[in-house]
Amino acid sequence: MVMRNVHVFSINILTMVGKKEWKVTDIPDLSGRVAIVTGGNTGLGYITVRELARNGARVYMLSRTESRALAAIEKIKTELGSELKPEIEYINFNLLSLKSAKKAAEEYMQREQRLDILVNNAGIMATPYELGPDGIEMQACNGTGHFALTVTLIPILKDTAAMPGSHVRIVNITSGGYMLANMTKPDFTSLEGLNQKTFGTWGRYGLSKLTNILLTNELQKRFTAAGINNIYCLAVHPGAVNTELSRGLLESWPFLAPLRRVGRMMTTNPDRGALTQLYAATSPEVVEKDLKATLLFPIAQVEAKASIAKDKDGKLGGDFWRLCEELMRQKA
């Protein structure tokens, strides 16, 4: 997994020779915009919250542990300095709970009148097989939890899209590891199919990251069918980044702990790793190039989707959408 990501990263660097690389300083003024970032208290989410706030957006950090979130918010405010007066708020959000995700969205809509940027960043990787509080395999919650949050937020996303000068972004963080789903037989028609244990740790991770892309596809398809043309849904693979996401690896294979230093040498830092999702969330090029339902690899490069992610007949995406709707009726 890590080696493949490093390989992809190297290819993208080579293809960018002679081309100006997108930088964090290319983020436009975001004054008046409001954003949500899940998992914003650490890693890529932390950098995303900080840079959106630095450029004038009011940002809601959605994460599970309030003490960690509030500490992260104070750290960001210190980094940015008192002159900027960054606006960052906290809402409790547990990716493993459909009820929590729905409640977080409802609380947000009680507090705000618009939502310009939604970055579904929170994630779990390579954890041992375990069911969450809703009876959903924990890695599968990468997809189901963000479905519950995003679909509940659709009314305010649509309202924002109808406002003058708006261009709404939904950014779903996936991984090049979605290709591991090719080693499985995806079945999103039932909870039993979603929870299949036989796929192994990496197979389940690949399926969860595939659902992030399928959600992107389905959201864009539905907005287009409704005649809404200024909501841009993108899936982003950030590359191999040194974040807390690797904790799951050590839970599954504790003997890898001595290799953590080697792993850090093979990965990039969160500041660089967050560039592609910041590009997707803010760059005017997304509109200029009409990057709807697009998959981006680092740094800010369009990547062709594998057949399983293209989902041309819409079966996988449709099955996943209907299953999530049913799970929300039962559990949220």
Side-chain angles (χ1 to χ4, degrees):
M1 167 68 175
V2 172
M3 287 302 295
R4 183 188 184 278
N5 287 345
V6 172
H7 176 63
V8 170
F9 184 76
S10 300
I11 290 174
N12 282 331
I13 287 294
L14 290 173
T15 59
M16 288 165 56
V17 172
K19 179 180 178 181
K20 182 182 176 183
E21 183 178 281
W22 193 84
K23 306 181 298 299
V24 71
T25 52
D26 293 323
I27 296 175
D29 178 33
L30 301 174
S31 299
R33 310 286 181 183
V34 190
I36 286 175
V37 181
T38 68
N41 62 291
T42 187
L44 299 174
Y46 177 92
I47 303 301
T48 302
V49 170
R50 186 188 70 194
E51 297 308 322
L52 294 177
R54 185 195 302 275
N55 288 278
R58 181 160 62 252
V59 187
Y60 282 77
M61 180 186 290
L62 270 59
S63 59
R64 181 171 55 181
T65 306
E66 182 176 8
S67 59
R68 293 188 69 192
L70 295 180
I73 290 171
E74 288 308 308
K75 184 180 177 183
I76 290 172
K77 288 182 176 180
T78 299
E79 287 184 34
L80 296 183
S82 58
E83 291 184 4
L84 280 180
K85 297 181 180 179
E87 297 182 77
I88 309 173
E89 305 288 340
Y90 166 71
I91 292 178
N92 182 263
F93 167 76
N94 183 353
L95 183 66
L96 305 181
S97 167
L98 297 173
K99 184 176 292 185
S100 171
K102 182 180 179 184
K103 183 179 178 182
E106 290 171 341
E107 180 177 342
Y108 176 86
M109 290 188 290
Q110 289 172 358
R111 294 166 66 172
E112 292 290 344
Q113 299 299 313
R114 65 184 299 149
L115 176 57
D116 301 90
I117 299 167
L118 171 59
V119 183
N120 289 323
N121 168 84
I124 302 166
M125 182 178 77
T127 52
Y129 188 89
E130 183 180 350
L131 300 183
D134 290 331
I136 302 169
E137 194 272 323
M138 287 180 62
Q139 291 190 92
C141 295
N142 287 335
T144 58
H146 282 129
F147 176 95
L149 176 72
T150 304
V151 168
T152 308
L153 288 167
I154 282 178
I156 197 170
L157 290 164
K158 287 183 174 179
D159 287 347
T160 307
M163 296 177 183
S166 69
H167 44 84
V168 177
R169 310 287 173 88
I170 301 174
V171 182
N172 293 313
I173 308 307
T174 182
S175 166
Y178 84 87
M179 293 287 289
L180 294 166
N182 282 310
M183 298 161 41
T184 71
K185 293 182 179 179
D187 179 5
F188 302 133
T189 61
S190 67
L191 181 57
E192 292 73 23
L194 185 68
N195 283 346
Q196 288 187 63
K197 190 174 183 179
T198 55
F199 295 147
T201 297
W202 283 117
R204 293 192 301 275
Y205 177 69
L207 284 170
S208 78
K209 295 289 96 180
L210 173 63
T211 63
N212 295 141
I213 300 176
L214 296 176
L215 176 59
T216 304
N217 296 347
E218 291 298 311
L219 284 166
Q220 197 71 76
K221 186 188 303 181
R222 284 164 168 75
F223 289 133
T224 299
I228 301 171
N229 297 314
N230 59 339
I231 299 181
Y232 292 79
C233 307
L234 300 95
V236 168
H237 163 55
V241 187
N242 181 24
T243 69
E244 291 184 8
L245 194 63
S246 62
R247 287 178 301 183
L249 284 168
L250 300 183
E251 291 177 20
S252 294
W253 300 288
F255 64 88
L256 292 176
L259 300 177
R260 292 183 69 179
R261 181 175 296 179
V262 176
R264 284 194 290 268
M265 292 172 60
M266 297 172 63
T267 55
T268 190
N269 61 66
D271 282 276
R272 184 169 178 81
L275 285 176
T276 303
Q277 61 203 66
L278 284 166
Y279 171 88
T282 68
S283 176
E285 287 186 2
V286 170
V287 176
E288 294 163 7
K289 297 180 179 180
D290 196 29
L291 299 181
K292 291 177 179 173
T294 298
L295 174 61
L296 297 178
F297 272 39
I299 302 294
Q301 300 296 301
V302 175
E303 179 76 9
K305 297 174 189 172
S307 176
I308 197 170
K310 287 181 182 177
D311 189 31
K312 284 187 176 180
D313 61 5
K315 176 171 172 36
L316 288 176
D319 286 346
F320 179 69
W321 188 282
R322 288 185 290 273
L323 173 60
C324 288
E325 286 184 323
E326 180 59 30
L327 290 172
M328 286 191 69
R329 280 192 289 269
Q330 294 175 9
K331 304 175 186 295

